[in-house]
Amino acid sequence: MKGYGRFEGYNYQMLRRDLISGLIVAVVAIPLGMAFAIASGVKPQFGIYTTIVAGILISLLGGSKFQIGGPTGAFIPILFAIVMQYGYEDLLIAGMMGGIILVLMGILKLGVLIKYIPRPVTIGFTSGIAVIIFSGQISNFLGLTNLERHEDFVSNMKEIVLHVSTANVWTMLTALISLGVILVMPKLSTKIPGSLVGLIVSAIVAALLFRGEVATIGSTYGNIPSTLPSLQLPQLSIDKIIGLLPSAFVIAMLGGIESLLSAVVADGMTGSRHNSNKELIGQGIANMVTPLFGGIPATGAIARTATNIKNGAASPLSGVVHGIVVLLILILFAPLASAIPLASMAPILMVVAWNMSERKHFAEILKTKTSDSVVLVITFLLTVFTDLTTAVEIGLIMAVLLFVKRMSDMLGVAKVLPDPSLKHEKVKSYMVSEGHDCPQLSIYSIDGPLFFGVASTFEHSIMDSLQEHHRMLLLRMARVPFMDSTGAANLAHIVKHVTHAGGIVLISGIQHQPRAFMKKMGLDVEIGHDHFFEHTGEAINYALKRLDYNKCVGCQHFAFRECAALSSPAQKAK
């Protein structure tokens, strides 16, 4: 195993740590796997199958040393919507297609791009998902019956209100016991998972004190099989693949984001570094294989990964152990799982939703009262009231447009002239006034990137004040870090206008990227290679030597010392 980087230096002590952490994570993963599956609209055993197959493959093939994979809360609204619209069989196909997309993303090395998704967008949709998960468990918490499940949030809330009279006091008592234990356990012990203890205690109480009064997994979904299902290939068709492609793309995007966020958290906790592209490939392969065993889409689970690290995991083997332990528990104790009350699982998902809600970060961004706050709120509301796909698309578009707007506001175009009172006669905008300007040489300081969002403003700022008789235009571009094709095109318009009138354009202090881009566009040839200067002073000296000094005699603007000398009484006498 030493030949494999993530197992380098592996020894017996590390094996022992992996066995312990894998066992603990498996105990945490079982109730979560079933709960996430139920909330996604499928049978609980499909969550267990996902935990086993995807958990093992993600640990073996992924790019993070400590990643624990499986079903997660983030997928719930997406998977539920797919099940409602297409059914469980097509969900498996969409998950497999999502896995293929993830593999392609990894091969094309697109893992790095996911980190460029704006934080307000990720926090907005994560908080929205938390609301959907939490609200989706209210009916199980209260024991409501005869509800019709819908895709949209508003309709589901209406169902709860209309059926609140069917609330079951025994169900609520079971849920409260589970919730109480979950909240108290962390104060008693951080080693024992509160969700598991809450599940067991409330299930025992319900079985002993009010058997038959509370809906269980078995009474609602049937008994859980004690084996993995046999390998089954899905029935594919071109029409089905095309129809499921948008859903597959959303699964891939959300899975990629969630897994890489989890990997980053693991890096922060351990000081390790994950391989983002390899992680996407591992996640993709896991999601391609898991549906063959009836499993739903999976991704890296932040809470389980953190639990894995806190309990001493030393290598990816802990994730493999976690999957094997879940398989053994399925084989040995499946009948017991069928007796678990749904009310015992509702608080587990509610606590998961509370923990993933990003409420502190949500409030922090909201307090800034900036465009980020707008993106955050819009993404959040669209996630809750429409769907995640719409929310992310519009959130990203808004973030891009608002970013362009902010960058546009940062552009500075100022007409300047040298100030004789300053050392080296530095150019300043306050030196330009109606009575103090040069009719032959215009100098502009450009501050900010020249890209499509500001290119038109840049052009108009110069063209509106540029006079036809100006012989030279000097653009100070030391503070222009970036230029795109639109910025270059607008600059080309200015150059063409000046040169057509018989003038020349000078450039000073230009940075590497704008200069290289101008070279690609051929703009440096239009301007002239000898018209580029490192310093503004050199460009001004070049320009002054080429002024038509006949026009300077008698000029009252005195923009330069040379002009003042030419306009002196002695010069006038000549």
Side-chain angles (χ1 to χ4, degrees):
M1 285 192 291
K2 289 184 179 180
Y4 187 28
R6 296 188 300 167
F7 291 94
E8 187 175 352
Y10 201 76
N11 54 40
Y12 173 77
Q13 187 63 30
M14 296 170 76
L15 173 63
R16 182 173 175 275
R17 288 163 53 192
D18 282 336
L19 291 173
I20 293 172
S21 59
L23 175 63
I24 294 173
V25 174
V27 171
V28 174
I30 291 172
L32 289 176
M34 292 190 295
F36 290 145
I38 292 171
S40 299
V42 300
K43 293 182 179 181
Q45 58 263 37
F46 299 143
I48 296 179
Y49 302 157
T50 307
T51 302
I52 296 168
V53 180
I56 292 173
L57 291 176
I58 287 172
S59 292
L60 281 177
L61 305 176
S64 174
K65 194 174 182 179
F66 304 100
Q67 184 83 280
I68 297 295
T72 65
F75 272 136
I76 288 175
I78 293 296
L79 305 190
F80 180 71
I82 296 173
V83 170
M84 290 290 290
Q85 186 173 356
Y86 300 104
Y88 167 68
E89 296 295 333
D90 284 358
L91 170 64
L92 299 184
I93 297 174
M96 189 178 295
M97 290 169 60
I100 295 172
I101 294 172
L102 281 168
V103 170
L104 292 175
M105 289 171 62
I107 292 174
L108 296 174
K109 301 188 183 301
L110 299 180
V112 68
L113 297 180
I114 291 179
K115 70 181 181 181
Y116 293 115
I117 296 178
R119 192 162 174 260
V121 174
T122 57
I123 292 177
F125 76 67
T126 302
S127 299
I129 289 171
V131 169
I132 294 172
I133 295 173
F134 190 94
S135 63
Q137 293 306 305
I138 294 175
S139 59
N140 287 335
F141 195 98
L142 299 178
L144 306 184
T145 57
N146 301 320
L147 276 76
E148 182 181 349
R149 298 190 72 176
H150 302 273
E151 287 186 54
D152 63 292
F153 174 80
V154 174
S155 297
N156 284 322
M157 291 301 98
K158 285 182 179 178
E159 287 287 324
I160 291 174
V161 173
L162 291 173
H163 294 83
V164 72
S165 59
T166 66
N168 184 325
V169 65
W170 306 115
T171 298
M172 287 189 283
L173 184 58
T174 302
L176 287 171
I177 292 172
S178 177
L179 178 61
V181 174
I182 291 172
L183 296 178
V184 171
M185 274 307 299
K187 298 177 182 178
L188 301 178
S189 173
T190 56
K191 295 292 183 181
I192 304 175
S195 59
L196 181 67
V197 178
L199 187 73
I200 293 173
V201 170
S202 60
I204 291 174
V205 171
L208 293 177
L209 301 182
F210 24 91
R211 180 186 293 272
E213 298 291 339
V214 180
T216 65
I217 289 176
S219 67
T220 306
Y221 299 100
N223 292 329
I224 295 177
S226 57
T227 59
L228 280 174
S230 57
L231 189 71
Q232 291 185 347
L233 294 175
Q235 298 295 320
L236 298 175
S237 68
I238 296 297
D239 291 340
K240 187 170 287 188
I241 290 173
I242 294 173
L244 291 172
L245 195 57
S247 298
F249 186 76
V250 174
I251 289 172
M253 290 300 101
L254 186 57
I257 293 169
E258 193 78 3
S259 63
L260 294 183
L261 283 175
S262 180
V264 169
V265 170
D267 289 350
M269 294 178 69
T270 62
S272 61
R273 292 191 66 181
H274 74 279
N275 183 323
S276 59
N277 295 311
K278 187 176 180 182
E279 179 65 20
L280 291 181
I281 293 173
Q283 295 283 343
I285 294 173
N287 278 288
M288 290 166 62
V289 175
T290 302
L292 300 177
F293 294 92
I296 60 179
T299 184
I302 296 175
R304 273 160 279 170
T305 299
T307 301
N308 187 40
I309 294 168
K310 289 177 182 177
N311 285 281
S315 78
L317 188 61
S318 61
V320 177
V321 170
H322 131 271
I324 294 173
V325 171
V326 173
L327 175 60
L328 293 175
I329 293 174
L330 173 69
I331 295 171
L332 299 174
F333 302 107
L336 293 178
S338 300
I340 296 173
L342 296 180
S344 298
M345 305 183 75
I348 295 175
L349 283 179
M350 287 178 162
V351 171
V352 167
W354 178 257
N355 291 334
M356 71 178 288
S357 64
E358 301 278 11
R359 56 196 181 278
K360 292 182 179 178
H361 298 306
F362 194 102
E364 287 172 359
I365 296 176
L366 208 58
K367 286 178 182 176
T368 63
K369 296 180 180 179
T370 61
S371 57
D372 283 348
S373 306
V374 177
V375 173
L376 172 76
V377 172
I378 295 296
T379 306
F380 169 75
L381 293 176
L382 288 174
T383 301
V384 174
F385 293 106
T386 59
D387 58 76
L388 184 61
T389 307
T390 303
V392 173
E393 287 176 353
I394 293 180
L396 287 174
I397 291 171
M398 286 188 62
V400 170
L401 291 177
L402 290 171
F403 171 77
V404 170
K405 176 64 169 62
R406 284 200 300 269
M407 294 300 290
S408 301
D409 294 340
M410 291 175 61
L411 177 69
V413 179
K415 195 171 187 181
V416 297
L417 282 172
D419 185 348
S421 65
L422 297 177
K423 188 177 181 181
H424 303 303
E425 298 189 37
K426 292 184 178 180
V427 293
K428 298 292 180 181
S429 59
Y430 58 73
M431 292 300 296
V432 181
S433 63
E434 189 174 345
H436 191 266
D437 194 4
C438 179
Q440 296 191 70
L441 171 62
S442 289
I443 308 174
Y444 289 87
S445 289
I446 317 301
D447 195 343
L450 290 179
F451 69 112
F452 65 91
V454 302
S456 179
T457 302
F458 158 71
E459 181 180 354
H460 289 306
S461 297
I462 293 178
M463 296 292 287
D464 290 348
S465 61
L466 202 59
Q467 302 298 321
E468 291 291 338
H469 55 269
H470 280 166
R471 292 174 58 84
M472 276 166 286
L473 171 65
L474 169 56
L475 300 178
R476 303 177 68 242
M477 299 183 67
R479 294 185 178 180
V480 177
F482 172 79
M483 175 187 291
D484 68 1
S485 58
T486 308
N490 286 71
L491 176 57
H493 291 162
I494 296 172
V495 173
K496 185 176 292 186
H497 174 83
V498 174
T499 54
H500 183 74
I504 60 173
V505 176
L506 309 176
I507 306 288
S508 70
I510 191 167
Q511 296 189 33
H512 175 72
Q513 191 279 336
R515 180 64 190 270
F517 198 86
M518 290 168 70
K519 186 175 182 179
K520 289 180 181 179
M521 299 286 289
L523 189 53
D524 62 333
V525 176
E526 290 185 45
I527 294 172
H529 295 295
D530 58 336
H531 292 164
F532 286 84
F533 301 89
E534 186 174 351
H535 302 291
T536 299
E538 297 170 353
I540 291 176
N541 289 333
Y542 179 92
L544 291 177
K545 293 176 182 177
R546 286 156 180 79
L547 292 180
D548 184 354
Y549 280 101
N550 291 322
K551 296 180 180 179
C552 294
V553 177
C555 177
Q556 301 300 312
H557 293 289
F558 304 141
F560 301 95
R561 293 182 186 275
E562 292 84 345
C563 303
L566 288 168
S567 300
S568 66
Q571 182 65 38
K572 288 180 181 181
K574 294 181 181 180

